[in-house]
Amino acid sequence: MPRIPADEILIAGHWRRGRGLPIHTVDPADGAVLTTVHAASVEDVEEAARAAAGAAAAPEWRDLLPHQRARVLHRIGDAIEEHAEDLSALQTADTGKTLGETRALALSAAGTFRYTAAALETAEDALTPSRGPYLTMSVHEPIGVVGAINPWNSPIASDAQKLAPALAGGNAVLLKPAEWTPLVSLALGRIVHQVLAGAGLPTALLAVLPGKGSIVGDAIVRHPLVGRIGFTGGTGTGRGIAHAAADKLIPASLELGGKSPTIVREDADVEQALAGVMYGIFSSSGQSCVAGSRLFVHSGLYDAFVGELVERVRKLRVGPGTSPDTQVAPLVHHRHRDAVAAYVDLAREEGGRVLCGGAAPQGKRYAKGAYYLPTVIDGLPNSARTCQEEIFGPVLVALRYDDEDELVAQANDSDFGLACGIWTRDARAARRLGRRIEAGTVWINTYKQFSISTPFAGMKDSGLGTEKGRDLIRAYQRQKSLYWGTDSAPLPWAN
Ligand code: NAP
């Protein structure tokens, strides 16, 4: 494993302390300070951006052929896999997530680099139908320097989904991790730095710049050399970035928040649905953009289904992410745990009934950690704030429905449109509902499954632009048209 990042960050191809405010990263399982990272300042962003622009334009990077650049991506993927256990342990310490989940995220990041390498080797520029005595071509070129700004919930996966296509596209990247979870991005930075140096490529192709979003993130977005932003995070932040990108007339992809409906029809396989609904909201302690946080159950099944669900949720094992039998780990930070608790208090004020959870777990094991019990609430209308706003924690609101039109109206009555789950044995109903619900991803008889080869995008306030899928590199390139005269036929004004 490359050295576990202590306090240095990656600026302009070199590891050194940033000149910004220090960040004390905390293990949310017990509140212990893991390390102090000396974060980036605006001056550091300036230095990193200039060096990145130079690196992107350097012939040894710019002139690489696709299969040569793909080789670099394969090496990064291999190195991530080789260090997957260490990356997993680091991410569990930083985010609180279970080791099982962080291991899967590290391996998925390796897979993202490999898939992107394959996409790069097979991507074709087009010879377009000609309408005159010339060949016409549509080709793709690097943008130059791109900014990648990520949230704290799945750092290595979010980083890989931006870094791999951006590098494949021939760019240099300024990566900003979330303030609460900078460590795994710095570790990934060590891996990429070693691969670039080993291949004789400019190490300034990647900068890792932790720091406050309003300072460091904003400086990246507004920097004149940054020609594209890949952002994942909250809708409010995304909207601000979209405004700043519009001022500069640069593209920005925005992967934002959600409040996704999970629908259990009367004809569902109940066992499958119970397991899927619980996994959909309580895995990652609900800190997932696609968490199935609004549960719609048909009236005919509601009481029995929700009753059994609550029994099972009470039995979920809450504990530290390092414990092999933990199902619900601590939240990322004590401040976030308190924000989640405040939403449950709001639900009570709104008239909701807390059927289970609704508090931090008691006992010595939990005393110093950012824990919150998995919580199920019912008795609220879909219009309640608790049903409309993203809580981003282990909180499920249960609602009943009688007919499909009413269900669709309620499910779509949300600012968000990220994901949806449908549990049914009726294939026609699944297809019909899947098309009627406004969501970028619909899971039928499964939930929270991902494939790098399948595009991912949000509708409405859940985002703009697409990540993943065969065209993932194109989002980090500029398109250019070439007209190439093929005979000596004179142009209209020739003598
Ligand atoms: P956030 O507060 O929006 O922060 C996301 C990132 O943006 C962080 O690195 C943050 O830095 C930075 N940032 C904050 N203000 C900024 C500014 N003015 N300019 C540039 N960057 C700025 O979101 P979060 O609380 O970290 O993450 C949770 C949100 O992410 C949820 O809404 C969740 O649904 C969403 N999410 C979406 C997806 C998806 O694919 N759709 C996936 C995962 C998460 P600091 O950490 O320093 O504030």
Side-chain angles (χ1 to χ4, degrees):
M1 175 72 192
R3 188 163 60 87
I4 295 288
D7 58 351
E8 294 170 340
I9 64 175
L10 182 54
I11 305 166
H14 303 287
W15 289 94
R16 66 162 172 80
R17 288 184 171 192
R19 289 167 282 187
L21 297 172
I23 298 173
H24 308 290
T25 63
V26 169
D27 183 342
D30 58 12
V33 174
L34 293 165
T35 188
T36 298
V37 173
H38 291 266
S41 65
V42 172
E43 296 72 33
D44 294 329
V45 173
E46 176 66 35
E47 191 182 329
R50 283 184 190 284
E60 59 270 35
W61 177 245
R62 189 194 60 204
D63 298 342
L64 281 187
L65 296 170
H67 70 283
Q68 295 168 325
R69 196 169 283 142
R71 218 165 144 217
V72 177
L73 298 184
H74 273 298
R75 283 187 190 156
I76 296 172
D78 289 347
I80 293 173
E81 190 169 294
E82 196 184 316
H83 300 302
E85 286 305 311
D86 295 323
L87 289 166
S88 163
L90 188 63
Q91 198 172 359
T92 289
D94 212 11
T95 64
K97 281 172 177 263
T98 64
L99 283 172
E101 193 183 344
T102 54
R103 190 174 297 122
L105 288 170
L107 294 176
S108 93
T112 296
F113 276 93
R114 294 201 178 110
Y115 175 84
T116 309
L120 176 59
E121 285 216 58
T122 53
E124 292 176 2
D125 282 332
L127 195 60
T128 54
S130 175
R131 296 179 71 93
Y134 39 76
L135 281 176
T136 45
M137 296 174 74
S138 172
V139 299
H140 295 83
E141 297 185 343
I143 290 170
V145 183
V146 303
I149 301 178
N150 279 325
W152 41 259
N153 62 326
S154 304
I156 197 166
S158 312
D159 290 353
Q161 277 168 34
K162 294 178 178 60
L163 201 46
L167 290 175
N171 304 287
V173 184
L174 306 183
L175 173 65
K176 197 205 92 65
E179 192 186 0
W180 283 343
T181 58
L183 298 187
V184 84
S185 303
L186 290 166
L188 180 61
R190 296 259 170 201
I191 286 174
V192 175
H193 186 260
Q194 278 187 3
V195 169
L196 293 173
L201 294 168
T203 50
L205 284 169
L206 173 65
V208 184
L209 304 168
K212 273 202 181 308
S214 54
I215 300 171
V216 176
D218 187 66
I220 292 172
V221 172
R222 292 179 196 280
H223 198 284
L225 289 172
V226 172
R228 188 210 193 275
I229 298 294
F231 173 77
T232 300
T235 297
T237 315
R239 216 183 286 283
I241 288 174
H243 280 290
D247 279 346
K248 283 173 63 181
L249 285 178
I250 62 165
S253 59
L254 308 166
E255 304 288 345
L256 309 177
K259 190 78 182 179
S260 299
T262 309
I263 296 159
V264 179
R265 277 175 48 97
E266 222 175 352
D267 56 14
D269 175 330
V270 168
E271 273 305 313
Q272 202 185 38
L274 281 165
V277 168
M278 286 203 297
Y279 181 73
I281 177 67
F282 297 121
S283 60
S284 318
S285 304
Q287 302 165 117
S288 168
C289 54
V290 294
S293 49
R294 285 186 299 152
L295 169 66
F296 291 94
V297 185
H298 189 274
S299 285
L301 197 64
Y302 186 90
D303 291 334
F305 188 91
V306 174
E308 180 60 23
L309 178 76
V310 167
E311 285 307 307
R312 294 190 189 193
V313 171
R314 285 203 178 103
K315 291 182 192 140
L316 287 174
R317 294 181 297 273
V318 179
T322 47
S323 172
D325 66 347
T326 291
Q327 293 171 294
V328 181
L331 302 185
V332 67
H333 198 281
H334 295 71
R335 288 220 308 270
H336 184 55
R337 190 269 313 274
D338 295 346
V340 169
Y343 260 114
V344 177
D345 291 343
L346 171 69
R348 290 188 175 102
E349 284 165 29
E350 289 184 307
R353 288 189 303 154
V354 176
L355 303 180
C356 63
Q362 297 303 305
K364 202 170 160 208
R365 188 184 198 204
Y366 307 113
K368 293 185 179 163
Y371 292 95
Y372 199 78
L373 287 171
T375 300
V376 181
I377 298 169
D378 87 343
L380 287 171
N382 185 54
S383 56
R385 275 183 61 196
T386 318
C387 299
Q388 290 290 323
E389 296 176 19
E390 185 183 41
I391 299 175
F392 219 57
V395 180
L396 176 69
V397 282
L399 300 117
R400 60 177 80 224
Y401 77 92
D402 288 304
D403 70 68
E404 190 171 302
D405 286 343
E406 174 210 350
L407 165 70
V408 170
Q410 285 197 76
N412 287 342
D413 180 17
S414 165
D415 289 341
F416 298 109
L418 194 56
C420 168
I422 301 169
W423 300 92
T424 179
R425 286 191 174 94
D426 182 336
R428 288 187 180 177
R431 185 175 186 281
R432 196 174 59 237
L433 261 180
R435 300 303 290 260
R436 292 184 74 188
I437 303 295
E438 295 165 348
T441 296
V442 175
W443 284 292
I444 297 162
N445 294 328
T446 185
Y447 204 85
K448 218 178 154 184
Q449 301 302 307
F450 294 105
S451 162
I452 183 66
S453 52
T454 305
F456 183 78
M459 294 181 179
K460 305 197 284 189
D461 281 6
S462 289
L464 195 63
T466 303
E467 282 193 347
K468 309 205 264 189
R470 210 175 48 178
D471 294 331
L472 79 176
I473 301 167
R474 296 307 189 208
Y476 287 89
Q477 290 181 317
R478 287 190 287 225
Q479 210 166 355
K480 179 180 279 182
S481 301
L482 293 181
Y483 286 69
W484 188 350
T486 50
D487 64 24
S488 51
L491 288 172
W493 287 0
N495 287 324

